Amino acid sequence: MTPTDMTDVADDSAELLPIATGARTRAALRTLIRPDRGRAILGLGVLVGATAVGLLVQPLLGRVVDIVADGRPADALTLPVVLLLAVAVVQGVTTTLGLTQVARLGETVLARLREQFIERALQLPADRLERAGAGDLTARVTGDVARVAEAVRSALPEMARSVLAIVLTLGAMALLDVRFLLAALLAVPVQALTARWYVTRAVTVYADQRVANGAQQQQLLETIGGAATVRGHRLEEQHTEKSAARSRRAVELTMRSVHLVLGFYARLHIAEYVGLAAVLVTGFFLVRDGSVSIGTATAAALYFHSLFGPVNAALVLLDEAQSAAAGLARLVGVTDLQESTSLQESTGPQASTDLKASAVRLPHQRTTSDAAVTVDAVSHAYGPGRTVLHDVSLTLRAGEHVALVGTSGAGKSTLARLVAGVLQPTGGTVSVAPSPAGPSVVLVTQEVHVFTGTLAEDLRLARPDATDADLRTALATVHALEWAEALPEGLATVVGEGGHSLDPARAQQLALARLVLADPPVAVLDEATAEAGSAGARTLERSAEAALAGRTALVVAHRLTQAVAADRIVVLEAGRVVESGTHDELRTAEGPYATLWHAWSGSRAAPHL
């Protein structure tokens, strides 16, 4: 498929990754916290103590007011002042300890969530990701994780402290006189209505905003990724309008959220005025009747005034909480995906891939014969009306090298990924002989990722227990040892982003060396020498040949020289096998392969294979 095709599909039929329900999100959060219940209880207990100590400030200030009002000697102020200093010190220490425990709890839970998300995301079938689009997953990995992380680091500790302060302060007001509490509670209906008004609107706005941001990111990724095709077909204006439309939608939702917050604050100020006025009026009548002292009325007013910060913080944090909850629901939606049940249930052999940024492991069925790989009546579609393979059957004998040949769009890469286990067939079965240890199949594509770290660490991704001697042997096998040892620090040289840059040919040799280290019985090469260019093609072909020695191999042939060296050539056309045989047999048969061979060998300008 061309990038333009993929963009059109994403516009019209993208199937975004799921979003968890509120109940499921809360259940997942409880599960994440459960291993650290002790730390949660400790942090909460210390914060309760810190808040309780802090509530002594208002009565002590009220005591100072009574001393002054009664005209007592200045010495009488010594004890309240000393106690105020002691309260400040104790509250500061205990608050720091409590917030530290809550922060550690939050970071631990966040790390656990990230691990689960990344683990599940790496296991998602490639066709599921293609249906969702790269932008959706990217937005969750970046924006949603960042939003949840921000809430954990700032909102969670502040929310915990604010809620405790509110509850304990109201209790302290009741101890002064229950009538002060009743007066303060006049603000609650306004605050409750404000919270309800905000929450009912914020949930939808923030959820829509995250989806809109994901769609915007998806459109930008596809437009930039397919820039050459877009320019070639003169589709710049169309794609610009699509990007602008999705950006307008994202901006519109952002402005809705801003207006929502402004209305939220305005209603909170009304609640503050109502409550404080009620407490002051109550204090006036109680002091006049002799029910309480001026100091007690002062303490009650100070208590209510001290609630402004915690109440506003708690309600304002609903803004972050709703946004974080929307992000958390999107993350939990990915971790809960159950599409590929075989990932959790199968005990059969596994496949590994050197695709881009990760090694994906997916199970295969076991073969029922001596064949290394059996493809039985396999069909595959990327969506309704987009069938790529039609009833394909293919058997690879142990040790046999089979080359897949065909024009672009014939289904070669799809079949290769089905054999490797990266995709699951829509119909039919793919069976792979079991491996006694390690993955049964390793896939190497032309898009190889060089991970950041030392060269040795990059190689050990395929076999963590490999010694330096093993690494050198693997590099030597693929004819890469000479340049590897010539690096500034040899195997200890940092490669990848921010490190020593490897050109496409060397990066591909690195992937082939990982293949040697993994030592699977079956290897799949999907145009693994295509990125080298003419100058490095012969070197990479020699490296690939050495890496495949002794293995069953399925090779998507970018250059027909690879097909010539294969034991058998399978020609795909429009998703169907149309020819199968050796190079000499097919060349003399004057069929589709012969046409490709004559075009390639005659002008070297044949269509991309």
Side-chain angles (χ1 to χ4, degrees), residues 252-568:
E252 176 190 343
L253 288 169
T254 299
M255 293 308 300
R256 282 177 58 189
S257 68
V258 170
H259 289 132
L260 196 64
V261 171
L262 291 177
F264 178 68
Y265 277 113
R267 288 165 172 80
L268 284 184
H269 292 323
I270 294 174
E272 291 173 357
Y273 297 146
V274 169
L276 185 57
V279 171
L280 289 174
V281 170
T282 301
F284 170 77
F285 284 109
L286 292 178
V287 171
R288 190 186 66 175
D289 295 342
S291 300
V292 299
S293 67
I294 296 176
T296 301
T298 301
L302 290 174
Y303 269 138
F304 187 82
H305 187 272
S306 71
L307 285 176
F308 285 7
V311 169
N312 287 348
L315 294 178
V316 167
L317 285 174
L318 286 174
D319 179 52
E320 286 190 43
Q322 293 301 318
S323 181
L328 182 61
R330 285 161 57 82
L331 297 178
V332 173
V334 173
T335 62
D336 278 355
L337 269 177
Q338 300 291 329
E339 286 191 9
S340 182
T341 55
S342 58
L343 282 170
Q344 303 166 357
E345 300 172 358
S346 173
T347 58
Q350 296 178 315
S352 173
T353 173
D354 223 315
L355 268 171
K356 289 192 176 180
S358 64
V360 180
R361 294 183 177 269
L362 293 170
H364 280 55
Q365 298 181 16
R366 299 191 178 202
T367 58
T368 56
S369 66
D370 293 334
V373 178
T374 300
V375 178
D376 185 16
V378 161
S379 298
H380 188 75
Y382 288 102
R386 296 166 54 208
T387 302
V388 179
L389 294 177
H390 307 267
D391 197 29
V392 173
S393 294
L394 177 66
T395 299
L396 277 67
R397 297 182 296 275
E400 183 182 25
H401 289 188
V402 174
L404 282 179
V405 171
T407 56
S408 179
K412 305 185 299 298
S413 292
T414 299
L415 180 56
R417 295 185 180 207
L418 287 168
V419 171
V422 176
L423 298 178
Q424 299 299 315
T426 305
T429 60
V430 178
S431 304
V432 179
S435 173
S440 297
V441 186
V442 165
L443 169 67
V444 180
T445 76
Q446 61 179 321
E447 298 174 341
V448 175
H449 186 80
V450 179
F451 293 86
T452 300
T454 67
L455 182 63
E457 291 171 343
D458 209 307
L459 288 167
R460 286 195 176 97
L461 291 171
R463 204 174 91 204
D465 61 348
T467 64
D468 285 353
D470 295 330
L471 303 184
R472 289 188 173 87
T473 298
L475 289 169
T477 300
V478 299
H479 311 291
L481 183 59
E482 183 177 351
W483 65 256
E485 292 187 329
L487 293 174
E489 297 180 57
L491 295 180
T493 302
V494 175
V495 295
E497 186 175 354
H500 187 89
S501 179
L502 299 182
D503 61 38
R506 290 184 174 182
Q508 198 63 254
Q509 284 181 309
L510 180 61
L512 291 171
R514 288 199 291 248
L515 167 64
V516 173
L517 287 167
D519 196 25
V522 179
V524 178
L525 269 58
D526 185 2
E527 298 188 350
T529 64
E531 290 293 314
S534 300
R538 184 56 58 88
T539 299
L540 271 187
E541 287 177 7
R542 288 176 54 239
S543 299
E545 182 180 356
L548 296 178
R551 312 181 201 283
T552 304
L554 181 66
V555 179
V556 176
H558 174 67
R559 293 177 175 82
L560 290 188
T561 51
Q562 296 172 291
V564 173
D567 299 319
R568 181 159 51 104

Side-chain angles (χ1 to χ4, degrees), residues 2 25 34 77 103 107 127 166 169 174 230 234 244 252 263 341 392 395 399 417 480 523 598:
T2 66
T25 302
R34 190 172 295 123
L77 295 174
E107 291 293 342
D127 55 344
I166 293 168
T169 300
V230 170
R234 300 292 188 270
E252 176 190 343
T341 55
V392 173
T395 299
R417 295 185 180 207
H598 292 319

